[in-house]
DNA sequence: AATGAATGAGGATTCATTCAT
DNA sequence: GATGAATGAATCCTCATTCAT
């Protein structure tokens, strides 16, 4: 492995560490030293890859978006859009233990970023959520449902809401119950129906 | 007004300032000086009323719970539980501009508090949310619906979810759309029906 | 009890509390609030009796000096100066548990006061110790020993030393052992001997 | 000199400064800024070497222990244990001016540390004193004296006592007088005698 | 590129002392 | 005289960021 590869690997390690630690501890509670330690990179060296802490937050957001893309790409292989949406919900429920401990990564980052005066990163968190909304709307559209954007809003809202409650009440079972309801709801939708 | 009254008023002013500023800027981004300035109280004096920053956070949470109690007490005057729930939703939607800028006070505090190692305050945020869940479930129960706790979960989840999305996307209209849907959903429920 | 008496009783309560708490926690670690609480006097009221914290320290020193005077006055009733000195040592050893926990009141106050730039109170602590030295020297003189001041120095030094070691090592038995030795030493001294 | 060497030198400078200033001003009266200034190190940088003020106190204690070890190692080169003990006393007396101004470094630190609720550092101060006791007892044992631990206790007690009196009365001559007595006492001891 | 070390601007908290009634 | 409340200076500690090698 040459210099170039080693460097980019270090960058990747930092990004992954940032995504993980920022999700667990939040932005304000996480120090650069925390991330550096987790990535096994000397503190001073972090600045070679990321000029500011904000850039690391940005990288973490990008990482979460990449995870989302990975998931939707996999679901896209399913022929039936309804199955894709059900797969999405099942993926959410599968993460219930993590959600109980730390909430939805993107959702909680968005909440924290919103509290800042500077709204640069704020928008980026919104963009990840919008991406999820768009993909979801596309599935409803393909299903022939009217107002697919509204349906997407309802589904993603439900996800963020149940993640927050699961987290706040430290009760992963909330995601089981709400997940089950959402799956039944999807099943009840008739293609193109009202 | 004597010393005693003026002092307790100061405490109240600090509590109100804390509730407001912590909602707007988040816990970590808010300094004691911020709250002191907002309440027009010298920093050193804050400690006469609250021994730590955490106690101010606690007071802010109590303030939000009090607001919630006030609202539900008012709604309790309505004879029909369905109307009470619709009133709750309308109150939420009426706050959409604030939600777009800062999210749900309790919800965002809960998210931040969860990121802490020490879980004391964390639990208190959860308690406020649970209070809302309980009141909501009571209405569904009075309506004669089966599984009122699950319905409450669905409604409160929807609220937290739409608040978060509205905030993350800075789009208050989201609360109009989801609010409308929730109202229609309530109307569609037949008393005691499945 | 009239105003005058009640007030002086309050002053006495504060003095006693100061003597106790300053011995236990040291000057720097003790707040005025600590002393006020211990004396069951409102903080604001302390300043009516003592204009500064230093005045309270001074009062505590005076209290310790009074205790010493009380003890020597009682010992002065014994006809034999050697018995008086032995009584002194026995009184010290009887305090060994307190010494193990907090050291000699006057000695530890003197150590703390010495660390100050301002030497006013410093001198007062020294004066209490000097008073003990003088009384002790008087006994040796009455015994007809040569260089009674040196003997007093040796005895008081031994007391301060064993108090410090007992305290630092948290071992009250040290005072038993050294006390026994000092008693034997006194017995071995022949009146007027070399 | 490279970074590494300069850094470790800085640590040493901080330790030496801490030992000195803490001895002179006491723990509570010394600010981190005092120590930083004395060591010519920016305040913020102190925390790179010592995570808390307590760690600096600990380092100062270790420094004093090192000084003690140095002294006893030098004395160990003398063939006669009695000469070693006399050398120890002479070293004490040689420090009389410092003792008059600030007392025994370890003794006064021990007194201050005892006043704390947290007893961690307290024990460390005790350990330094115990080390001195042990070395002293070893000399008496080698001299063939019975109860060497008691003799050590007497000698070290006398040292702490005369240091405290010298300091409290600001009279270095006290150490001359007590030192002379202790030297004579050592001379009077017959090997193995009672 | 890599890295240990340096820097300084905050931020929470404490507390002696003063004030207003 | 009595008292709750007010004040502000001081202190410890954190951490993003920069620097020198």
């Amino acid at each position: 492995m040459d210099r170039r590869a080693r460097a980019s690997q270090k960058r990747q390690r930092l990004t992954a560490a940032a995504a993980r630690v920022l999700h667990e501890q939040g932005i304000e509670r996480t120090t650069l030293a925390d991330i550096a330690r987790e990535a096994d990179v000397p503190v001073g060296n972090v600045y070679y890859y990321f000029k500011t802490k904000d850039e690391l937050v940005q990288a973490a957001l990008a990482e979460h978006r990449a995870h989302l893309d990975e998931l939707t790409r996999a679901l896209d292989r399913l022929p039936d859009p309804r199955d894709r949406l059900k797969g999405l919900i099942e993926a959410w429920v599968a993460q219930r233990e993590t959600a109980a401990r730390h909430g939805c990564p993107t959702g909680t980052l968005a909440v924290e970023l919103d509290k800042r005066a500077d709204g640069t990163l704020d928008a980026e968190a919104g963009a990840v959520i919008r991406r999820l909304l768009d993909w979801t709307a596309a599935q409803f559209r393909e299903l022939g449902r009217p107002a697919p954007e509204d349906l997407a809003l309802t589904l993603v809202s439900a996800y963020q809401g149940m993640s927050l409650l699961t987290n706040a009440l430290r009760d992963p079972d909330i995601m089981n119950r709400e997940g089950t309801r959402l799956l039944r709801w999807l099943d009840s939708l008739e293609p193109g129906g009202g």
Side-chain angles (χ1 to χ4, degrees), chain A residues 28-190:
Chain A
E28 308 290 346
R29 288 263 160 179
T30 299
T31 69
L32 280 187
D34 287 340
I35 298 174
R37 192 181 329 112
E38 190 81 4
D40 201 32
V41 168
V43 216
N45 199 9
V46 172
Y47 280 84
Y48 182 75
Y49 299 97
F50 300 93
K51 271 192 289 294
T52 64
K53 185 181 181 182
D54 273 11
E55 281 192 15
L56 266 167
V57 175
Q58 200 167 356
L61 274 173
E63 183 87 349
H64 291 306
R65 189 182 52 208
H67 285 164
L68 173 64
D69 287 349
E70 210 178 317
L71 174 61
T72 55
R73 250 199 323 275
L75 293 171
D76 278 335
R77 291 195 204 102
L78 299 175
D80 182 2
R82 191 192 309 256
D83 286 341
R84 293 183 207 135
L85 290 169
K86 290 170 82 170
L88 180 65
I89 293 166
E90 278 154 10
W92 289 340
V93 174
Q95 296 296 315
R96 65 187 174 283
E97 292 293 346
T98 304
R101 250 169 309 155
H102 309 297
C104 163
T106 308
T108 57
L109 281 181
V111 166
E112 263 196 287
L113 288 170
D114 168 72
K115 300 307 184 191
R116 301 181 151 199
D118 159 34
T120 324
L121 283 174
D122 193 3
E124 302 214 22
V128 180
I129 292 179
R130 170 142 305 287
R131 205 177 179 88
L132 173 59
L133 277 172
D134 289 346
W135 182 87
T136 306
Q139 311 313 311
F140 282 117
R141 195 172 298 112
E142 200 172 328
L143 259 180
R145 303 292 308 174
E149 284 85 5
D150 282 356
L151 291 170
L153 199 60
T154 297
L155 187 56
V156 174
S157 250
Y159 166 52
Q160 289 297 343
M162 74 193 190
S163 294
L164 196 148
L165 289 197
T166 282
N167 183 217
L169 302 177
R170 300 219 167 279
D171 177 8
D173 191 49
I174 286 177
M175 296 201 61
N176 285 327
R177 289 150 67 192
E178 272 288 288
T180 304
R181 179 185 70 84
L182 290 171
L183 289 173
R184 265 206 307 261
W185 171 60
L186 282 181
D187 276 329
S188 75
L189 294 177
E190 294 165 31

